Amino acid sequence: MKTWTCDVLVIGSGAAGIAAALRAAHDGNSVIVAEKDRYLGGTTAISGGWLWVPGNEQGVREGDTREEAEAYIRHLAGDSYDAAAVGAFLDTVPEAMRFFTDEAGIAFHYPEKAPDYQMDAPGAKVSGRAVTVGATDARMLGEDRLRMQPYLQSYTVFGYMPEVGPDIAQFLRANRDPAAFRHAARKIATTWVQTLLHRRALVRTNGNALMTRMVAAAREAGIRMWTSSPVTEILHGPDGTVTGARLSGAHAGTVHARLGVVVASGGFSGDADLRRRYFPHDPDGDDHTTPTVGHDGDAVRLTAPLGGHVDDRPHQPASWGPVTVFRGLRGNRRWFPHLRAFGLPGLIAVDRDGVRFANESSSYHDFGVEMIRNDAGRDGTYGWIVADDTAMRRYGIGWAKPWPFPQALFRRAGYLHSAPTVAALAGRIGVPAAALQRTLDEFNAGAARGEDPRFGRGSNWFHHFKGDLEHRPNPNLAPIEKGPFHAVRIEMGDLGTYAGLAVGPGHEVLDDDARPVPGLYAVGTAAVSVFGGGYPGYGANIGPAMVSGYRVGRDIAARAGERAPRADAGAVAF
């Protein structure tokens, strides 16, 4: 068995883990990142790549204040609000963002508008808190270019992943606007040519662009990044201080970590046993599908022998997102996370009774909360997205692309269900026909006026941002009346867990007696969420992941010297 020595061992290569590695290496520490997957980047690499980071420089210039950010988070967290954790997060945002920009070379993009998800809540902002990165050339990764986690293929358009914002808006108009069609065609053609010549496209977008830049910075910093190297045990000395870990796979052996171990291995939504314990809607472990990468509960299992345990105080144990599970054209199991599409005009969501149960233009998380609540006590958590042919031909439904794509392809995969009349569609998907017709009649009466009396859909900036801003009189509403009619089944999924390892303000893992385990830290979705079960806006997982990773990487050497929690005198407040 081989033995390696380093100052810091990081378990996991997503945004949280690489952030910790970058900051620790910046201070001259040697770092090893151990990733169990064959690829680097984790769930961040298949995500939208946004960071929700109130207190960044542009937000402050636009008038955002700490008091407003605290008020907004407090409203979303409710009784789960943790003032100390929120304070540590907000203290660190400005410093962390300057580091990632100035030292790691990450060029953040500050959009003109990226509304908070609950615009009616106190402290909500239309812009200034959510940031992203632009398209990136993967050649900066050198020989690691093919080691980056590929996109979630069902989320691409012929292999190209549209950027959230103006780019994806162009794709939505491509079947009715010649200029938008040319834009989409250029993007797709470039992707194909680059894939043919270089095995994978060189242009990376969204979360893949973010992780490309972060991994490139880690390469430049001399950080060793091992793939196919799962950690099987965290090691500790006689006094309980964590000293390293045992690995299997490509780097089977022992790593001695002088300063400590950072657990950044993701959450537990991929583990049926842990879902049974913490997801109320999934008591048998078979009523949930996660599109996340590697969120298999490793953080919980690895830290349990040292007293690590799940803090389930957040009022929602995960950041929810409805998904469709289906078989691809080659018969392989696939899934599509519905994070935006059914806020578009001409689409609604109904339950098994054919009745609307939530505002389809709310965030995927808030929609998921209502979906779980609506199906509590019933056999399974699911519903249907329903559209008429006008919406289907203009927007499509998730993976089922609009005209001119042949709908038969999506029906053949078992994804799309279609019928000439409302009654026939109801029979096909197993909902009461009379109830579905009543639902459509009620919805259509308001939608024709640009109103939704039942749920207030299309009533604020965030709703409109999810819709078609060129559609009138309301970007989110249009009657559903032209056959044939279409439906797609949705089930409950997630973007990462909110319940996670109990940690202190410095993200040190706490044991059952709430004492820090010396030399052991947890960041990202491996740790309990700072937002207490609420989902504030674009990047609610990645923003805290990078900030907590930065904080641990910055403080790990000092904490190793003191071996006791301390207040961070270097935090920068706003």
Side-chain angles (χ1 to χ4, degrees):
M1 296 288 284
K2 293 184 178 180
T3 300
W4 296 270
T5 300
C6 63
D7 293 318
V8 179
L9 172 64
V10 178
I11 305 173
S13 67
I18 299 297
L22 285 171
R23 188 57 181 85
H26 177 74
D27 291 335
N29 298 305
S30 62
V31 182
I32 292 174
V33 175
E35 168 60 60
K36 70 178 179 181
D37 198 90
R38 61 183 289 201
Y39 296 112
L40 297 166
T43 298
T44 309
I46 67 169
S47 74
W50 291 73
L51 291 74
W52 196 79
V53 280
N56 64 75
E57 291 182 1
Q58 178 161 314
V60 172
R61 284 198 301 270
E62 292 180 1
D64 195 8
T65 67
R66 182 178 181 124
E67 291 72 25
E68 289 174 306
E70 287 176 338
Y72 182 63
I73 298 171
R74 186 182 297 109
H75 175 84
L76 270 60
D79 293 340
S80 305
Y81 184 72
D82 185 333
V86 171
F89 168 63
L90 296 178
D91 282 346
T92 313
V93 165
E95 180 184 333
M97 292 298 287
R98 284 194 295 271
F99 172 82
F100 292 126
T101 300
D102 298 340
E103 304 296 335
I106 299 173
F108 291 109
H109 171 63
Y110 295 81
E112 182 181 351
K113 287 184 175 65
D116 287 337
Y117 282 3
Q118 291 199 14
M119 284 302 301
D120 299 325
K125 292 289 184 181
V126 172
S127 65
R129 290 174 175 168
V131 306
T132 185
V133 296
T136 299
D137 191 327
R139 281 175 289 198
M140 68 172 61
L141 289 176
E143 62 186 16
D144 284 331
R145 181 176 63 82
L146 298 177
R147 284 214 296 161
M148 181 58 62
Q149 184 74 234
Y151 297 124
L152 184 63
Q153 196 62 29
S154 60
Y155 229 54
T156 68
V157 181
F158 290 118
Y160 175 71
M161 178 69 78
E163 294 182 85
V164 177
D167 186 32
I168 200 169
Q170 292 277 66
F171 272 77
L172 284 172
R173 297 195 301 270
N175 62 352
R176 58 190 189 276
D177 180 338
F181 176 83
R182 289 192 295 271
H183 171 90
R186 283 195 303 270
K187 297 287 188 178
I188 294 170
T190 298
T191 297
W192 288 359
V193 170
Q194 291 181 351
T195 302
L196 182 64
L197 296 176
H198 305 285
R199 297 173 60 190
R200 294 222 351 231
L202 299 176
V203 177
R204 307 289 172 83
T205 60
N206 300 341
N208 222 269
L210 173 62
M211 289 312 305
T212 292
R213 289 182 177 274
M214 293 188 73
V215 169
R219 278 172 52 90
E220 187 174 344
I223 295 169
R224 288 170 282 180
M225 292 175 285
W226 297 345
T227 50
S228 301
S229 301
V231 172
T232 59
E233 182 184 4
I234 294 176
L235 305 175
H236 60 90
D239 64 350
T241 299
V242 167
T243 59
R246 189 166 287 118
L247 279 64
S248 62
H251 292 82
T254 301
V255 175
H256 297 291
R258 184 176 64 87
L259 300 180
V261 172
V262 182
V263 180
S265 54
F268 59 79
S269 54
D271 183 272
D273 289 335
L274 289 168
R275 291 201 310 271
R276 289 187 189 100
R277 292 175 60 186
Y278 297 108
F279 286 12
H281 71 278
D282 195 17
D284 298 319
D286 59 359
D287 191 25
H288 190 91
T289 300
T290 183
T292 58
V293 176
H295 287 222
D296 302 322
D298 292 340
V300 179
R301 286 188 293 274
L302 288 171
T303 62
L306 293 92
H309 61 282
V310 172
D311 181 346
D312 62 352
R313 287 178 299 165
H315 59 78
Q316 299 298 321
S319 51
W320 306 122
V323 300
T324 297
V325 182
F326 62 103
R327 294 286 173 185
L329 299 177
R330 298 178 181 177
N332 52 320
R333 188 171 185 265
R334 301 179 69 180
W335 46 88
F336 185 93
H338 293 272
L339 306 184
R340 181 180 189 274
F342 56 108
L344 289 164
L347 291 85
I348 61 170
V350 299
D351 62 11
R352 71 196 76 196
D353 298 322
V355 177
R356 289 177 72 206
F357 56 89
N359 184 336
E360 298 92 345
S361 289
S362 60
S363 75
Y364 35 86
H365 174 73
D366 294 326
F367 180 90
V369 171
E370 295 304 318
M371 187 171 167
I372 290 170
R373 181 179 295 131
N374 185 69
D375 281 343
R378 299 210 244 189
D379 183 17
T381 306
Y382 67 93
W384 299 90
I385 300 174
V386 175
D388 72 353
D389 207 49
T390 299
M392 183 68 217
R393 289 172 65 84
R394 174 166 290 193
Y395 307 115
I397 309 177
W399 183 66
K401 300 300 183 283
W403 178 89
F405 296 97
Q407 295 169 7
L409 290 177
F410 308 112
R411 287 195 288 269
R412 191 178 307 144
Y415 179 91
L416 183 69
H417 306 267
S418 304
T421 66
V422 172
L425 180 68
R428 189 153 294 176
I429 64 177
V431 306
L436 181 59
Q437 188 63 64
R438 282 194 302 271
T439 295
L440 291 178
D441 290 343
E442 176 188 302
F443 176 80
N444 289 346
R449 304 187 304 270
E451 300 172 357
D452 177 20
R454 183 174 177 84
F455 291 111
R457 173 172 163 180
S459 59
N460 66 43
W461 247 113
F462 173 66
H463 296 175
H464 294 173
F465 202 68
K466 283 185 66 179
D468 180 352
L469 291 173
E470 296 183 351
H471 179 78
R472 299 291 184 270
N474 189 310
N476 302 104
L477 296 168
I480 301 170
E481 51 194 5
K482 180 183 178 182
F485 298 88
H486 310 273
V488 168
R489 180 183 167 108
I490 52 174
E491 304 172 13
M492 190 43 55
D494 70 283
L495 281 72
T497 44
Y498 271 174
L501 292 177
V503 295
H507 277 261
E508 61 276 19
V509 174
L510 303 179
D511 66 15
D512 292 321
D513 297 317
R515 295 175 304 190
V517 178
L520 185 61
Y521 305 86
V523 293
T525 50
V528 64
S529 171
V530 67
F531 297 137
Y535 202 103
Y538 296 93
N541 285 325
I542 299 176
M546 290 182 64
V547 172
S548 63
Y550 169 86
R551 189 181 183 92
V552 167
R554 182 196 66 189
D555 296 345
I556 194 167
R559 289 186 178 276
E562 298 173 7
R563 286 298 175 225
R566 66 178 180 87
D568 177 23
V572 178
F574 78 100

